[in-house]
Amino acid sequence: MSLDWFSLEALLGGILIGFASALLFSFNGRIAGISGIAGQWFQWVRERVQTKSPSVFRGDALWRFLFLSGLIVGGFLMQGTEYSAQPSPVGLPLVIAAGLLVGMGTRMGWGCTSGHGVCGLARFSGRSLFATLLFMGAGMLAVSIVRLMGGFS
Amino acid sequence: MNRPALFISFLSGVLFAVGLSLGGMTNPEKVMAFLDIGGAWDPALAWVMVGATGTFASIHPFAARLKKPLFAKDWSHIPKRGTDLPLLAKVGNVLFGVGWGLAGFCPGPALASVSSAEFSTLAFILTMFGGFWLWDGLRTWIPQS
């Protein structure tokens, strides 16, 4: 039997992601949706800057800031291993367009791969399933277009 | 939130990022190969989804039965079941999918890739926050239903 389609490290990585989300939910009662955490933290910071109020890290903004810092620190822990983060294979103009679409689309669509794709699906949420099918379908289409344009080089 | 809860937030972020890296999500080429069903399709990342949803789904029901979370006072607002996302949100899901496919990054893996110090990855994160900002600005112009 061929096991080419199986990836143990992908499964273990997924289990760790699910465990991290369960930790945040069980202990803090919060859903580990990255776009929501990052977007709401950023919104809060911008409000503080506008009103020139001095304390930038309080309340919900503080735990969101710590979670996001943890994400960045976790990446540094893996740097230098065979799992080091890699750059995108596409050019800078496409990366910049993608960043705008991802930022806008995730806030507009109430979540991303983590909120809808992991936490939502695991709670058997119908609308998260629909959202996941929409962004995966759109992603498949976009990749095909990039490949047809020869953008992988 | 109290100190233990804040520590859990940080720890959860660290573990989340380690899981993303181990699973291959911080390699955009691999992510794009997973989405490339018409080309040289690489199904490996489906196992990340299986592991993550399976684990969360096994622990979530027990946690949800608690009166309150172990370290915090209340549960965050979780939308009611059975309600549909508005049309505009579905448009957002599609826009996000297009962006995900174009460069191979979604928000979590992008942040877990700061360590690579790659210029284009940092540019992605910057414009992603720009996108958050853009939507916050645009939605004030859209009448609430």
Side-chain angles (χ1 to χ4, degrees):
Chain A
M1 198 174 86
S2 163
L3 284 175
D4 284 349
W5 46 268
F6 182 70
S7 168
L8 182 65
E9 51 214 339
L11 183 68
L12 287 176
I15 290 173
L16 211 50
I17 293 167
F19 180 74
S21 310
L23 206 64
L24 193 70
F25 183 76
S26 315
F27 284 86
N28 295 2
R30 299 296 188 270
I31 290 288
I34 315 288
S35 59
I37 294 175
Q40 287 172 71
W41 174 73
F42 188 50
Q43 193 179 4
W44 198 89
V45 170
R46 281 188 291 110
E47 278 167 16
R48 285 296 152 303
V49 170
Q50 266 169 16
T51 55
K52 295 192 171 64
S53 84
S55 54
V56 177
F57 303 111
R58 261 170 54 190
D60 277 340
L62 181 56
W63 80 259
R64 288 188 179 122
F65 172 77
L66 286 171
F67 180 87
L68 298 169
S69 309
L71 266 182
I72 293 170
V73 169
F76 274 96
L77 291 180
M78 298 301 278
Q79 196 62 30
T81 71
E82 58 178 301
Y83 304 102
S84 293
Q86 300 297 317
S88 174
V90 301
L92 191 60
L94 219 49
V95 168
I96 286 174
L100 271 176
L101 285 167
V102 168
M104 196 174 150
T106 51
R107 293 298 288 144
M108 201 174 160
W110 302 16
C112 60
T113 339
S114 51
H116 284 310
V118 176
C119 296
L121 289 191
R123 292 173 55 237
F124 305 105
S125 152
R127 64 183 189 187
S128 281
L129 174 65
F130 195 76
T132 306
L133 291 175
L134 279 180
F135 66 66
M136 284 192 61
M140 286 167 180
L141 208 68
V143 166
S144 303
I145 292 167
V146 172
R147 178 164 43 79
L148 291 175
M149 295 191 320
F152 277 118
S153 50
Chain B
M1 275 191 186
N2 53 24
R3 272 167 198 234
L6 291 173
F7 173 71
I8 290 289
S9 299
F10 180 74
L11 181 67
S12 172
V14 171
L15 293 176
F16 203 108
V18 171
L20 286 171
S21 304
L22 192 61
M25 294 290 292
T26 55
N27 183 347
E29 210 167 343
K30 215 174 154 71
V31 174
M32 292 175 81
F34 169 66
L35 292 171
D36 196 13
I37 46 169
W41 189 48
D42 175 8
L45 293 190
W47 293 102
V48 177
M49 204 90 156
V50 169
T53 50
T55 306
F56 191 75
S58 344
I59 303 175
H60 172 265
F62 296 101
R65 231 174 281 168
L66 300 170
K67 272 210 183 86
K68 62 183 194 65
L70 297 168
F71 285 170
K73 275 185 250 145
D74 51 359
W75 302 99
S76 69
H77 166 73
I78 294 168
K80 272 208 186 88
R81 295 275 286 269
T83 48
D84 225 13
L85 281 186
L87 180 67
L88 210 58
K90 289 172 182 158
V91 175
N93 297 147
V94 171
L95 291 181
F96 160 48
V98 171
W100 189 31
L102 283 184
F105 275 128
C106 54
L111 289 169
S113 297
V114 168
S115 53
S116 70
E118 288 284 347
F119 180 76
S120 80
T121 304
L122 300 178
F124 178 91
I125 294 171
L126 219 64
T127 50
M128 181 177 80
F129 276 90
F132 294 156
W133 194 347
L134 192 63
W135 175 239
D136 284 338
L138 281 178
R139 81 170 152 199
T140 58
W141 295 85
I142 295 164
Q144 300 292 313
S145 52

